[in-house]
Amino acid sequence: DLLRDTLIRSVKATIIEAPTVRQHKLSNTEIAYQGFVLVRVQLENGVVGVGEASTLGGPRWAEESVESIWAAITHYLAPALIGQPAMHFEANAVRMGKAATRNFSAKAAVESALFDGVGHSLGLPASALLGGAVRDRIGVIWALASGDPVQELEEAREKLRLRQHKEFKIKLGFNTPEADIKRLQQLRSGLGDDVKLIVDVNQAWSEAQCIRLFPALDELDVALIEQPVPASQREAMARIAARTRIPLLIDEAAFTKEELASVAAIGCGSVYSLKLVKSGGLLELKRAAGVAQSFGIELYGGCLLESSIGAAAHMAVFSTLPKLEWGSEHFGPRILVDDLVEEPLVFEEFEIRLPQGPGLGIALDEDRVRAMARRK
Ligand code: MUC
Ligand code: MG
């Protein structure tokens, strides 16, 4: 009996600290290691499904920290799920919703582990359980975020040479706007006119600064501007969206699909960054994509510097979206000194591959997980 064999026996969370190859800077945080919460869901048949929650330097990019995610899973989400059929994904999401409000990253990590466990039990990739893949590879952007243009040029050239990435997202807002523009000018002249550059301001600029600075971004042929103003300043974002010649990418301004509908209705941007940390689950991420599309908003496959585990969960759901106009940015596995899986996701010809095999298509590297697990 498949339903009984795949009842949820246990849900365990482990905090992981995974060093990065270099410092990664954002307007509001800076990291030298990635904080993850690894989730293992054991089913009655003995199969263990894995999922991952990602954070950026504590509760700064979003309100969840590794500690809060660990506590939400251990004390609230796990008790709500134990004994339930793992393959009742929607019902399990409802149960998690009743057990905890928001806590999106925690819920998404658990749901990822359920899809992995059920996929392994059925011999099916998670993408098949999510409607079936319409693509098996996705163009993948690299983020330049050391703040040192000399280092960044070198890094970008290496990615181009290896044919891993040909589009770059430049993190702005941790420096003065003048320094940001100067750095961008150096990157543009060093990389040439043909390389696609997008920028992520991570909420750092005011409306007035945007009005003043966007013409310079236009001159540098920036293709997309991500979340220039604070997430809560929706009207300001809408006014900027109406006057800019560069499309705005909505990131922190919309976590839930309902928030997305609100910002879309007042015209805050024309592209949306899909992330499990915002949607709180794979099924919910698909619904967010539907909301975006119904408003004519294009889709961008966002990340929060996940390891191959979290990237695989995103790839499983991204692969099923009929449209994904801007590709993805799941460079996370390549910014870690050591990934958490035996076979990291494959980056080839400027694309990231949807891993094959059942569930999320990845296998934990238990030695590395043990080495990077935070000692309590
Ligand atoms: C963000 O705001 O998009 C994703 C890539 C990166 O460099 O930062 C993250 C979060
Ligand atoms: Mg962003």
Side-chain angles (χ1 to χ4, degrees), residues 24 26 56 61 143 145 169 171 200 202 226 251-252 275 303-305 329 331:
H24 199 79
L26 280 73
L56 275 182
W61 189 90
K169 159 161 154 173
K171 304 296 284 190
D200 189 354
N202 283 111
E226 183 170 347
D251 192 13
E252 294 96 318
K275 295 181 181 179
C303 85
L304 206 68
L305 280 69
E329 58 170 29
F331 60 87

Side-chain angles (χ1 to χ4, degrees), residues 72-86:
I73 294 171
T74 305
H75 297 299
Y76 300 98
L77 304 180
L81 294 182
I82 286 164
Q84 297 300 314

